[in-house]
Amino acid sequence: MPTRTAAEIRAEARQEYDAYLAACPARRLLDRISDKWVSLLLSALADGPMRYGDLARRVAGVSQKMLTQTLRALERDGLVTRTVTPTVPIRVDYELTPLGESLLPVMRAVKDWAEQHIEAVDAARESYDSRAGA
């Protein structure tokens, strides 16, 4: 068996991502897509492009700061595009990229699961809390 250099070993390790390892780059992506604002914004954009104000109204409870930060992060990650139309006032639209659209089935499944199972989760929480408090 031929000896491999350290560079070859590192290159091979990069090809085999393992999100259980702290240094794995995929973990950063998992951190991003597991954020509640990310999942809600991606789901909101599933129906097509939206303006900033429309997104703010659609995703209740998101602050202006978090909405801006999240949209910038999604744009940086290549999941959302930002289009500025030079009108008065300036129009800014956000839209899913093909990469963002490829994530939609997963995000929709998680959102649907949460909506369908929240009552069972609430019941489990109440049961746990009553046992823990006794």
Side-chain angles (χ1 to χ4, degrees):
M1 181 163 113
T3 305
R4 296 181 297 158
T5 66
E8 290 171 335
I9 293 170
R10 283 193 302 275
E12 185 178 301
R14 271 194 300 275
Q15 293 175 358
E16 298 175 16
Y17 294 119
D18 183 352
Y20 290 115
L21 301 175
C24 180
R27 189 178 275 199
R28 291 190 309 272
L29 184 55
L30 286 172
D31 285 343
R32 170 86 64 232
I33 63 175
S34 64
D35 180 83
K36 71 178 174 183
W37 301 122
V38 167
S39 63
L40 292 171
L41 288 171
L42 290 177
S43 294
L45 289 169
D47 296 330
M50 294 182 79
R51 296 178 76 175
Y52 183 93
D54 296 331
L55 283 168
R57 284 186 290 280
R58 177 80 188 266
V59 182
V62 66
S63 68
Q64 183 177 358
K65 178 183 175 183
M66 283 309 304
L67 180 56
T68 299
Q69 286 179 351
T70 305
L71 287 169
R72 283 183 184 160
L74 291 171
E75 184 179 8
R76 181 174 182 251
D77 289 342
L79 301 174
V80 168
T81 59
R82 179 178 184 265
T83 304
V84 178
T85 306
T87 59
V88 178
I90 292 176
R91 180 184 175 104
V92 179
D93 290 292
Y94 294 90
E95 185 175 10
L96 292 177
T97 64
L99 184 61
E101 288 177 2
S102 73
L103 185 56
L104 275 180
V106 175
M107 300 310 274
R108 279 187 181 141
V110 171
K111 178 183 166 288
D112 291 346
W113 184 92
E115 291 171 349
Q116 292 171 7
H117 293 89
I118 186 59
E119 291 176 6
V121 171
D122 280 344
R125 288 175 179 170
E126 287 179 24
S127 175
Y128 178 90
D129 291 346
S130 67
R131 289 191 315 270

